[in-house]
Amino acid sequence: MPTLTVAIPSSLDGAVREAAGQRGQSVDCLVCAALSEYLNSHHHGMYQISTSSALVEGVDEGAVSSRTLLEHGDFGLGTFENFDGEMVIIDGAIYQVRGDGSVTHRKDDFRIPFAIVVRFQEDEELESGAISCLKDIERACDSHRESGNLFYALRLDGHFDNIHARAVGRLSPGTRLVDAAKEQSEFHFSNIEGTLVGFWSPRYSSSFNVPGYHFHFISNDRAKGGHVLECSASALRVGLQMLFEYDVRLPDTPSFLTADLSNDPAVALAKVE
Ligand SMILES: [Zn+2]
């Protein structure tokens, strides 16, 4: 990545460092996000490592570095090598929710088998109203999606009455996704502040992505999280970002090069995601 040296007033320098500290972000990441927002670059772009077809076939070998992923976005979700937990990317930080329920802020550089990120900048915000189940969230968001043929990033913040989440545990390399899902742990959280990090993807994209809605949860204290199975809340703040630039980085790992990716993964994805 190029290095940019600029002269700024010391008051602004202090404000940047304070904001980065409060958000648990690096100064680099915060300045990138702020410049990107100001210059409106890649506002509608998403970056993805690998494909859902490869994941279903058990291609879970790390392909692209976490630093490269964070160069392309600050908000998203994914998984880890050997399906070792659920990935949540929020405010430029990567969190790993493992099968034992522990959450780790991953600051190291490691390789990722599958992830999607955007520079989150909402086009629209709304109040969800009462949410008694995940379907209510989908209904609240559906009417605000302009088209069923574009992708959307969704950020929902607030106080959740209940969250039912899961995390897949570490498995031997090459385990297929349907078998990985059998090894998952499930968690129930109640009265918890946090964020749903999610995407909506069109049905036609099933070979690349998980069609429909896909949410991962992270609590405000960054101590709890997982792939969301169900949830309820009295009201949530919802931000939507329309995405129409789709940048996919295909792995050049041996397992990806030799996998049979000719099957339609839609049925397997519907079962496990
Ligand atoms: Zn998930």
Side-chain angles (χ1 to χ4, degrees):
M1 244 199 313
T3 303
L4 178 68
T5 307
V6 293
I8 58 170
S10 54
S11 57
L12 191 55
D13 180 59
V16 166
R17 286 174 202 286
E18 193 187 329
Q22 277 170 359
R23 297 174 193 201
Q25 262 182 316
S26 68
V27 167
D28 286 359
C29 198
L30 186 132
V31 171
C32 274
L35 279 178
S36 168
E37 193 172 330
Y38 183 75
L39 301 170
N40 207 21
S41 64
H42 298 300
H43 178 190
H44 297 289
M46 58 194 278
Y47 173 84
Q48 180 173 322
I49 299 169
S50 194
T51 69
S52 55
S53 310
L55 211 58
V56 163
E57 294 302 329
V59 180
D60 56 1
E61 186 180 357
V64 175
S65 82
S66 53
R67 293 217 172 105
T68 302
L69 183 73
L70 291 178
E71 282 172 20
H72 289 88
D74 55 16
F75 177 93
L77 45 80
T79 189
F80 295 83
E81 269 204 315
N82 306 323
F83 293 116
D84 189 12
E86 311 285 338
M87 181 183 289
V88 189
I89 303 136
I90 185 166
D91 298 331
I94 299 177
Y95 295 91
Q96 181 171 18
V97 184
R98 288 199 169 91
D100 63 2
S102 65
V103 180
T104 311
H105 178 188
R106 293 288 300 264
K107 297 175 184 167
D108 54 323
D109 195 18
F110 60 97
R111 297 183 87 75
I112 295 172
F114 178 88
I116 310 159
V117 285
V118 300
R119 285 205 185 286
F120 191 75
Q121 194 187 339
E122 62 201 22
D123 297 309
E124 192 184 346
E125 69 153 299
L126 56 125
E127 282 292 325
S128 69
I131 300 293
S132 62
C133 60
L134 204 50
K135 274 269 170 261
D136 285 345
I137 290 184
E138 302 187 1
R139 275 189 282 270
C141 296
D142 276 346
S143 57
H144 294 268
R145 287 188 297 102
E146 251 175 73
S147 169
N149 297 331
L150 297 176
F151 294 79
Y152 286 82
L154 306 127
R155 177 174 177 150
L156 292 90
D157 292 281
H159 179 93
F160 293 81
D161 298 329
N162 289 291
I163 294 268
H164 179 194
R166 72 110 204 268
V168 175
R170 186 181 175 84
L171 296 157
S172 50
T175 306
R176 298 179 79 240
L177 190 62
V178 280
D179 298 321
K182 290 177 194 157
E183 301 298 320
Q184 68 189 33
S185 308
E186 297 189 13
F187 316 112
H188 291 270
F189 312 128
S190 47
N191 288 319
I192 187 164
E193 301 277 340
T195 303
L196 298 188
V197 171
F199 289 91
W200 186 88
S201 305
R203 182 139 300 281
Y204 69 76
S205 71
S206 66
S207 293
F208 282 84
N209 217 305
V210 179
Y213 291 94
H214 182 190
F215 291 108
H216 286 189
F217 173 75
I218 187 94
S219 60
N220 279 5
D221 64 5
R222 308 296 188 239
K224 296 187 172 77
H227 170 98
V228 178
L229 300 171
E230 258 311 338
C231 70
S232 63
S234 46
L236 297 170
R237 186 196 175 282
V238 185
L240 285 99
Q241 179 179 13
M242 185 200 280
L243 305 166
F244 49 74
E245 290 173 39
Y246 192 9
D247 183 3
V248 182
R249 166 67 160 83
L250 296 174
D252 52 6
T253 54
S255 56
F256 186 85
L257 299 182
T258 55
D260 177 1
L261 304 180
S262 58
N263 291 323
D264 182 352
V267 176
L269 288 170
K271 226 182 265 175
V272 299
E273 293 289 350

